[in-house]
Amino acid sequence: DPHLNFLRETMGIMQHHDAVTGTEKQKVALDYAKRMSVALRACSTNIRSVLNQLSIASDRNSQEPSKFEFKTCTLLNISSCATSELNKRFALTLYNPLAHSVNEYVRVPVKDYNYVVIDPTGKVLPVQAVPVPKAVSNMKHRNSSAQYELVFLASSLPPVGYKTYYIEKSETIPAIGKPSPSPKKT
Amino acid sequence: SSYTVIGNNNIQLTFDTNGFLAEVTADGMTRMISQEFLYYEAATGNNAEFLNRSSGAYIFRPDNNQIRFATDEVTIEVYKGQLVQEVHQKFNDWISQVVRVYKQSNHAEFEWLVGPIPIKDNIGKEVISRFKSDIKSDGIFFTDSNGREMLKRKRNHRETWNVKIHESVAGNYYPVTTKIALEDTTARMAILTDRAQGGSSLEDGVLELMVHRRLLHDDAFGVGEALNETEYGEGLIARGKHHLFVGQSLQRPDVSLKAIERLVQLETLLPSWKFFSNVSYSSDQWL
């Protein structure tokens, strides 16, 4: 509760007309951003414990509780995420907040272009690696090693539910090889 | 053909030899639709009288409606694969965009990246993304009200009083929380935003949305500083998405474009939450 209350109080501050419209001073805007990031980070422990309980509950015959970290990457909007860039294998859990099942194309920042994605039923999904746009990868203060975004289709994410995907760097080079731009039109 | 085409069975986008979007084929029809980035030069009033205030945090006011093109030629790179086709566009040193169509989508995604906005010329700039079409919208367009009801807007007009428009651009700008649209008897064009933006339709068939601004003068409404956001001492860089829907405007019993827009709006504004976990197991053990 202390975490959730902190986020509730922070969201209370965000109802101020300056926070809603962006008419606050620069330093106040930075303070709002900092409060939000601290509050969301505090609540990631809540999410982690809930998802761990759910994953234990769903996997009845598991002896030891599977302690996944369920880390959030807040820089996905600039194609940056340490876990997916620095690890050869990782799990990605997608929680669908809507009341209906959705299909969503997911983009994961990765260092290379040959990865395998396995869905919860063990099916290997079609994937595609697309280079991170040059303007993004050239951004000075984006310290990320991701050169590609790994795209796959997460289908039928259950309403108010989640699915976990296993992503692993594969030793084999995909048949289509390294993603390259179509030939320039003259 | 020297044109570049990306898309799927639902929607195809054609880019001309200058790298600009030129045409969209969707819902059984092809319409001339172009997209470009421009920027208004910001007015710098002397803030003495009420009327000539500067463009600032509270005010949007272009200087004599001065608008500049970001470029007249776009360099593009095209990536096509089994799940998504993308056109990476570079408009200039501080404006670029990725236009993509996923394999099963019925709309196109425009992921723009704007900034740092240059101010060496001491002129504030307000950047817009403008979609031009041949749809005869007759001065009428629609903007949403907090993501729900669509409000009808008419250029240079107000529903409840005889308005005298002094600012022909700013006087026609409205708040867009999630969607702006226009249509005629045959076609409809709608753009979903991923955040609240100012938007308008200043010509028939044209929609524009303000994606980023950097101003150098306070507009004397109280904040006491110019809207000149910086990051590491440089102008802020903004990145976001617009989703473009094009289709027939007539209401059909089976599916309406508006219903599809509504569903995608929900799914793009409330996407899945992503959690990453290191894994030491092999895939079999993991399963």
Side-chain angles (χ1 to χ4, degrees):
Chain A
D1 267 345
H3 298 149
L4 287 173
N5 286 333
F6 183 70
L7 179 57
R8 289 185 183 108
E9 285 161 15
T10 303
M11 285 311 293
I13 296 172
M14 291 308 139
Q15 307 314 307
H16 186 282
H17 69 267
D18 277 339
V20 173
T21 58
T23 48
E24 71 281 46
K25 286 183 181 301
Q26 168 88 35
K27 286 184 172 45
V28 177
L30 295 176
D31 177 63
Y32 286 157
K34 183 180 161 199
R35 285 168 185 271
M36 282 303 293
S37 74
V38 170
L40 286 172
R41 202 166 45 233
C43 285
S44 61
T45 55
N46 299 55
I47 295 169
R48 189 174 312 130
S49 63
V50 164
L51 281 172
N52 270 314
Q53 283 161 28
L54 286 174
S55 54
I56 294 169
S58 66
D59 180 357
R60 276 187 223 314
N61 57 8
S62 73
Q63 279 68 38
E64 84 288 353
S66 60
K67 280 288 173 218
F68 277 113
E69 298 142 299
F70 297 117
K71 279 188 264 186
T72 47
C73 282
T74 52
L75 294 179
L76 284 175
N77 73 319
I78 56 171
S79 313
S80 170
C81 173
T83 305
S84 58
E85 292 169 27
L86 306 178
N87 292 288
K88 282 191 184 313
R89 58 170 69 132
F90 53 91
L92 172 58
T93 298
L94 302 174
Y95 172 78
N96 168 20
L98 297 176
H100 61 268
S101 131
V102 296
N103 303 324
E104 182 179 324
Y105 283 97
V106 180
R107 303 177 75 91
V108 180
V110 288
K111 199 185 282 188
D112 223 322
Y113 56 87
N114 45 335
Y115 285 79
V116 170
V117 177
I118 299 175
D119 79 356
T121 65
K123 190 176 142 216
V124 177
L125 298 182
V127 295
Q128 181 182 339
V130 185
V132 170
K134 287 192 179 61
V136 177
S137 45
N138 294 342
M139 280 163 75
K140 272 187 217 155
H141 309 294
R142 172 183 168 269
N143 47 0
S144 159
S145 58
Q147 295 300 315
Y148 297 92
E149 285 193 315
L150 188 67
V151 180
F152 68 92
L153 178 62
S155 49
S156 314
L157 291 178
V160 200
Y162 71 96
K163 263 189 179 181
T164 301
Y165 294 82
Y166 177 88
I167 302 174
E168 180 179 39
K169 193 160 177 331
S170 76
E171 295 324 314
T172 55
I173 303 297
I176 53 170
K178 181 174 180 179
S180 58
S182 307
K184 288 251 184 242
K185 300 272 184 176
T186 53
Chain B
S1 146
S2 52
Y3 283 179
T4 297
V5 181
I6 63 168
N8 57 29
N9 299 332
N10 304 319
I11 183 169
Q12 288 98 37
L13 276 69
T14 302
F15 294 78
D16 63 20
T17 49
N18 286 327
F20 287 100
L21 173 68
E23 210 177 64
V24 176
T25 301
D27 209 6
M29 60 181 180
T30 296
R31 305 302 293 226
M32 314 295 290
I33 293 183
S34 62
Q35 183 271 342
E36 58 209 337
F37 287 97
L38 305 98
Y39 62 87
Y40 291 104
E41 294 187 347
T44 53
N46 56 16
N47 291 342
E49 305 88 48
F50 187 75
L51 273 186
N52 59 354
R53 299 275 179 120
S54 308
S55 211
Y58 296 77
I59 294 178
F60 162 47
R61 188 164 160 245
D63 183 14
N64 291 318
N65 299 335
Q66 287 289 326
I67 190 158
R68 302 265 183 258
F69 285 87
T71 183
D72 53 10
E73 180 151 6
V74 183
T75 50
I76 65 172
E77 282 189 346
V78 184
Y79 293 91
K80 292 188 174 183
Q82 58 177 338
L83 294 178
V84 65
Q85 300 193 353
E86 301 193 348
V87 173
H88 293 204
Q89 294 174 305
K90 177 177 165 67
F91 288 78
N92 60 30
D93 290 343
W94 46 284
I95 298 179
S96 64
Q97 176 171 253
V98 176
V99 185
R100 60 173 68 97
V101 179
Y102 286 104
K103 181 178 172 189
Q104 294 175 11
S105 281
N106 43 37
H107 63 279
E109 192 176 285
F110 290 68
E111 188 166 28
W112 46 267
L113 180 77
V114 176
I117 297 177
I119 50 169
K120 286 196 178 68
D121 54 7
N122 274 326
I123 296 174
K125 298 173 181 65
E126 321 206 44
V127 184
I128 63 167
S129 172
R130 184 167 74 181
F131 290 77
K132 275 193 166 186
S133 76
D134 55 358
I135 296 173
K136 297 170 189 54
S137 55
D138 196 19
I140 305 286
F141 60 106
F142 302 88
T143 61
D144 73 297
S145 166
N146 244 352
R148 292 177 177 75
E149 175 194 5
M150 291 302 280
L151 303 177
K152 180 177 172 183
R153 310 293 192 180
K154 184 170 172 49
R155 201 174 313 131
N156 297 328
H157 172 80
R158 291 299 187 277
E159 292 300 312
T160 52
W161 81 93
N162 291 328
V163 70
K164 175 99 183 65
I165 295 278
H166 291 284
E167 295 278 347
S168 59
V169 170
N172 282 298
Y173 255 65
Y174 289 93
V176 174
T177 311
T178 58
K179 183 176 7 177
I180 186 168
L182 52 73
E183 61 185 36
D184 61 16
T185 52
T186 54
R188 172 183 171 83
M189 173 167 75
I191 302 167
L192 296 188
T193 58
D194 61 353
R195 64 197 70 174
Q197 287 166 347
S200 185
S201 169
L202 298 176
E203 292 168 52
D204 283 2
V206 178
L207 291 175
E208 64 183 67
L209 284 157
M210 188 169 287
V211 293
H212 194 13
R213 28 195 329 236
R214 189 175 184 190
L215 306 167
L216 306 178
H217 294 263
D218 172 40
D219 53 15
F221 266 74
V223 69
E225 65 182 44
L227 184 65
N228 180 0
E229 295 167 282
T230 55
E231 187 92 38
Y232 302 100
E234 289 185 6
L236 202 61
I237 299 173
R239 191 186 198 192
K241 288 181 183 167
H242 285 150
H243 294 84
L244 172 70
F245 288 84
V246 176
Q248 295 184 34
S249 55
L250 74 149
Q251 205 74 5
R252 278 158 299 170
D254 56 333
V255 68
S256 87
L257 193 60
K258 292 174 188 168
I260 295 173
E261 293 161 16
R262 188 94 171 107
L263 198 60
V264 173
Q265 172 188 318
L266 208 51
E267 295 174 1
T268 44
L269 287 172
L270 292 170
S272 65
W273 304 0
K274 296 164 180 73
F275 302 102
F276 294 81
S277 307
N278 289 338
V279 168
S280 52
Y281 321 127
S282 70
S283 55
D284 298 338
Q285 290 165 326
W286 174 76
L287 275 175

